[in-house]
Amino acid sequence: QVQLVESGGGLVQAGDSLRLACAASGRTVSSRPVGWFRQAPGKEREFVAAISGSGGNTKYAGSVKGRFTISRDNAKNTVYLQMISLKPEDTAVYYCASQNPSYGSNWYGYPDKYDYWGQGTQVTVSS
């Protein structure tokens, strides 16, 4: 079992930055890809970014590319999402998830390929 806990969300103004953290406990996630997803009210959960177990491969949604950076510290069993130049449309609950390692990077954007999820952290960006 893997438990994931997100932190770092909050209320910020447009143009501000936030860094989210996803701390894993239980089984180590160092060999598993981890992704960030978000869900805004009334919308479906959408892919934001993902990182391979080693950290050497990353993938981003087009809407966040150049503004968000995913990274991981396997010694701390933690994955980060650095967000800069935040926009009101980034407002959502952000979830981290650990992907089933039998899938590869081609499946990073598919939430049903992730088998452990955190509870989410709210990010609100005011205009």
Side-chain angles (χ1 to χ4, degrees):
Q1 284 287 337
V2 175
Q3 292 81 42
L4 302 173
V5 178
E6 302 95 337
S7 62
L11 172 62
V12 296
Q13 293 187 330
D16 284 351
S17 301
L18 277 176
R19 188 176 79 155
L20 305 183
C22 172
S25 60
R27 253 174 56 191
T28 180
V29 296
S30 60
S31 62
R32 301 168 64 97
V34 171
W36 285 95
F37 291 78
R38 66 187 182 186
Q39 188 165 19
K43 295 188 177 181
E44 291 189 356
R45 191 168 297 191
E46 67 171 350
F47 171 75
V48 175
I51 188 166
S52 62
S54 67
N57 186 22
T58 58
K59 185 174 182 178
Y60 297 91
S63 59
V64 307
K65 195 173 292 185
R67 299 188 298 122
F68 291 11
T69 303
I70 190 170
S71 62
R72 65 190 302 160
D73 183 342
N74 283 341
K76 296 182 178 179
N77 232 13
T78 302
V79 174
Y80 303 96
L81 185 68
Q82 178 68 51
M83 307 184 294
I84 66 171
S85 302
L86 283 162
K87 304 175 181 180
E89 51 263 43
D90 294 317
T91 295
V93 177
Y94 283 70
Y95 300 90
C96 66
S98 176
Q99 189 193 49
N100 186 317
S102 64
Y103 298 102
S105 59
N106 289 339
W107 299 97
Y108 280 176
Y110 295 81
D112 62 330
K113 301 302 185 281
Y114 292 75
D115 45 15
Y116 297 105
W117 289 82
Q119 293 300 306
T121 185
Q122 176 71 47
V123 172
T124 303
V125 185
S126 63
S127 57

